[in-house]
Amino acid sequence: MANRLVRQRGVLYSIAVIPLSLFLLFLDARLWGVALGVAVLVGTARHPRLHLLSLTLAALIAYAVGYRIEFITNPEGGFFYLTQWSWLITLSWIIAVSQGVAVVGQLDPSGKLLTKIIILSGGACALIALLQGQWLGVLFVIALFVILLGLRASALPPERWSRAVGYGLAIATIVGLVKTTASVALLAPLIAFGLPFTSTLSIAYRVSFSWLDELPFGRPRVLLFVYGLSAYASVLAFLATRNDREALAGAVGGGIAIGLLWWVLSRLPKTTAAGKRFVLLGTPIDYVTLDEAVQRIENFLEARMPAIVCTPDTTAIWRAQRDHKLREVYHEADLVTPDGTGVVWAGRLLGAPLRERVSGIDLLEKLFSRGRVSRIFLLGATPGVAEQAARKLTERYPSLQIVGTHHGYFSPHENEHIADLIEAAQPDMVLVGLGVPRQELWMRENRRKIRTAVLMGVGGCFDVWAGVLRRAPRGWQRVGLEWLYRLLQEPRRLARVSAIPLFLGQIVLVKLAQLLSD
Ligand code: UDP
């Protein structure tokens, strides 16, 4: 029944789109080429090995029938004519956008995220085309929307059609001379979701190389991000407008960039799925839902088994790659949950069956509400905050007994005293809120001294419970922007969250490496 309905809706959309397509084809015969390109992409969608080849072929078809980026607007006035580089820029643009849209398609198998992004991007393109009186561009985008709705209605998985839709969108920006403005409009929603190739495009305009040396992430990787992914559409576009010597230098630089790309790809940390854990850029993550994680902690408590629980987010995973001690704690921990939408998306993109985000605070609140844990010790945050959190927690969860608190700004020689304090209080569970990586290292160092309890790293939870910080609303959490909400409250976190686009870039590289090695 459901299938029949889906089919009927599919037929209805096809009926709507056929006359529209025929009308468009009549107006612009080049669209036959687009249809052919779409057919190539849809036809090869199920064969990952052919993706790059089919994309290149589809982009070549578009170029051959006449969709070309021949100049781009110079922000200082006038135009940059791309002359002999036009083909390279056009192909790169079409391939990058199609592939970018396909990557978004993989993040959310339901296709909802993709539809939203395309509606935003396409809507922006249509508006610009409308303002410029480019009717063909407007019609093109409308046709794309109708096709998209039809595809959604047909319940086909996004990986079958996302590349083709990205292809259409890329060409829509070329149609009707909207070019640079439309390109920016197209990029805006993608940037909002932190897609690395877009962020690197903007980095490429701003970066000066001496500055790169001062970054803590290692020059080759940053160079890779700047060149490896963005050189196509931006750096070469500028070089191409200069003289031949500079263009030659650009080509040599591009060659070196490709070499670097291979070098870095071959050295990326392994991401493997084995048993119940998934290793994401060197950090293991358990495949657990919130309920399962709560159950695991209850099991530890019942068995009186001392255990370490960690909830790394993207910035912690990024950090663990450079901090072997932190990484070791994650490997030794008894439960590691994916704290944040970014981690879940990254895991899913790389093939891990992560079902939902399990943040430390949700995990604890669920655990407390079930009433099976009673004796808790709070260690961390600025003086007074843990006590305030303790008061609020016992009001909310009357069965909870806070058996002790201590602030988190103590010196190493006070540690012995704190461990004794905790041991004497005999808690079932110690929540350690010292921030990453201090809390993980503390748990590892003290797990033997505190023999009976479950130790859990909780980051800034005490600040939230005490009311010092506000938690992001659900909507922000779901779309992966919890970090932004927190950044607005604590601007000092800027340096830490600046790793997020790099993390995402790295994930895309690992995905690329996966595709290449398949
Ligand atoms: N914190 C602490 N001792 C320290 C550093 C941090 O108790 O030496 C506390 C800080 O007051 C905050 C919590 O650790 O309550 C979380 O810090 P941050 O936001 O840096 O870490 P994250 O939650 O990102 O791990």
Side-chain angles (χ1 to χ4, degrees):
M1 180 66 193
N3 264 350
R4 224 181 69 209
L5 256 178
V6 165
R7 235 177 291 132
Q8 279 173 356
R9 262 197 288 166
V11 170
L12 272 180
Y13 281 113
S14 313
I15 292 172
V17 85
I18 288 169
L20 191 59
S21 312
L22 286 176
F23 178 62
L24 279 171
L25 287 172
F26 171 73
L27 282 182
D28 184 353
R30 294 178 301 176
L31 284 167
W32 287 108
V34 179
L36 184 62
V38 166
V40 169
L41 293 176
V42 174
T44 55
R46 283 207 238 188
H47 307 283
R49 275 183 205 189
L50 297 178
H51 283 172
L52 193 59
L53 193 70
S54 59
L55 257 180
T56 312
L57 183 63
L60 272 171
I61 294 173
Y63 185 81
V65 297
Y67 292 110
R68 293 175 186 178
I69 303 177
E70 276 156 350
F71 57 85
I72 53 175
T73 314
N74 180 352
E76 287 154 23
F79 299 101
F80 283 126
Y81 286 91
L82 299 174
T83 61
Q84 76 271 31
W85 295 101
S86 166
W87 66 273
L88 187 61
I89 305 300
T90 308
L91 296 197
S92 306
W93 175 247
I94 295 176
I95 293 174
V97 173
S98 315
Q99 190 57 28
V101 171
V103 167
V104 179
Q106 286 173 334
L107 290 178
D108 174 24
S110 73
K112 281 188 199 146
L113 177 65
L114 190 59
T115 318
K116 277 184 203 141
I117 290 183
I118 290 172
I119 287 176
L120 279 174
S121 302
C125 289
L127 189 69
I128 290 166
L130 188 69
L131 292 176
Q132 296 185 349
Q134 305 288 346
W135 291 103
L136 196 61
V138 180
L139 284 175
F140 195 106
V141 177
I142 293 174
L144 199 70
F145 280 167
V146 179
I147 294 171
L148 180 72
L149 289 172
L151 287 165
R152 275 292 305 281
S154 70
L156 276 177
E159 69 255 28
R160 298 276 299 278
W161 48 269
S162 53
R163 214 166 262 100
V165 171
Y167 177 70
L169 209 51
I171 292 173
T173 62
I174 301 175
V175 171
L177 299 175
V178 279
K179 291 195 181 64
T180 318
T181 338
S183 312
V184 172
L186 170 75
L187 292 180
L190 292 169
I191 289 170
F193 282 84
L195 252 197
F197 80 84
T198 56
S199 59
T200 54
L201 268 174
S202 55
I203 290 172
Y205 288 113
R206 290 180 187 87
V207 142
S208 86
F209 298 111
S210 57
W211 177 70
L212 281 180
D213 281 327
E214 288 155 32
L215 288 177
F217 338 104
R219 190 181 165 94
R221 286 220 171 118
V222 180
L223 275 180
L224 170 73
F225 284 108
V226 175
Y227 278 128
L229 297 171
S230 67
Y232 310 120
S234 55
V235 178
L236 282 182
F238 278 102
L239 286 173
T241 59
R242 311 249 167 112
N243 67 35
D244 280 350
R245 207 148 20 113
E246 277 163 313
L248 183 66
V252 172
I256 295 171
I258 292 171
L260 266 177
L261 176 73
W262 280 106
W263 181 67
V264 177
L265 279 180
S266 63
R267 296 178 70 243
L268 282 174
K270 285 239 170 340
T271 300
T272 50
K276 292 198 166 93
R277 277 194 159 181
F278 173 70
V279 181
L280 182 62
L281 304 177
T283 295
I285 308 281
D286 285 288
Y287 297 134
V288 278
T289 58
L290 182 64
D291 289 336
E292 287 163 1
V294 170
Q295 187 62 54
R296 292 267 294 272
I297 296 182
E298 286 178 349
N299 293 347
F300 298 148
L301 291 167
E302 213 167 288
R304 297 208 65 73
M305 175 184 155
I308 288 186
V309 180
C310 299
T311 62
D313 61 4
T314 45
T315 60
I317 294 175
W318 176 261
R319 187 176 188 125
Q321 289 180 65
R322 278 145 204 85
D323 182 339
H324 71 95
K325 287 191 181 153
L326 177 61
R327 204 165 55 235
E328 279 163 22
V329 182
Y330 290 140
H331 279 272
E332 283 171 23
D334 301 272
L335 176 63
V336 186
T337 70
D339 185 344
T341 306
V343 181
V344 173
W345 281 355
R348 282 194 197 153
L349 186 64
L350 301 178
L354 292 179
R355 284 161 291 170
E356 58 178 346
R357 56 197 286 277
V358 183
S359 68
I361 193 159
D362 290 335
L363 180 54
L364 287 167
E365 290 181 356
K366 184 103 193 216
L367 182 74
F368 297 158
S369 68
R370 284 159 59 106
R372 300 209 189 128
V373 53
S374 55
R375 301 175 64 81
I376 306 282
F377 193 102
L378 310 184
L379 171 66
T382 43
V385 172
E387 290 74 14
Q388 174 72 359
R391 270 194 295 282
K392 293 270 168 76
L393 281 175
T394 39
E395 273 167 31
R396 248 171 91 184
Y397 308 100
S399 67
L400 209 61
Q401 214 185 322
I402 309 291
V403 294
T405 57
H406 196 286
H407 67 80
Y409 293 85
F410 51 87
S411 58
H413 70 261
E414 288 174 89
N415 195 46
E416 201 62 40
H417 162 68
I418 291 172
D420 290 343
L421 205 69
I422 296 174
E423 188 64 350
Q426 299 205 318
D428 298 329
M429 198 168 179
V430 183
L431 307 187
V432 190
L434 304 176
V436 177
R438 202 174 158 210
Q439 60 195 24
E440 281 75 14
L441 302 181
W442 188 91
M443 292 194 288
R444 181 193 207 192
E445 197 189 311
N446 293 281
R447 83 180 295 181
R448 269 176 248 311
K449 288 184 207 140
I450 304 160
R451 276 157 304 164
T452 52
V454 172
L455 306 179
M456 175 165 168
V458 299
C461 283
F462 302 158
D463 298 298
V464 176
W465 287 325
V468 178
L469 282 181
R470 249 172 309 133
R471 228 194 137 189
R474 285 276 157 195
W476 290 61
Q477 295 177 27
R478 262 203 308 274
V479 295
L481 291 178
E482 188 163 18
W483 57 270
L484 181 62
Y485 194 87
R486 214 170 148 195
L487 180 66
L488 296 176
Q489 296 181 69
E490 293 179 278
R492 70 184 166 84
R493 294 177 72 85
L494 185 64
R496 182 188 296 219
V497 301
S498 64
I500 293 177
L502 297 170
F503 171 86
L504 289 171
Q506 204 180 18
I507 295 294
V508 171
L509 289 184
V510 177
K511 180 72 193 175
L512 261 176
Q514 254 184 11
L515 291 175
L516 290 174
S517 64
D518 271 351

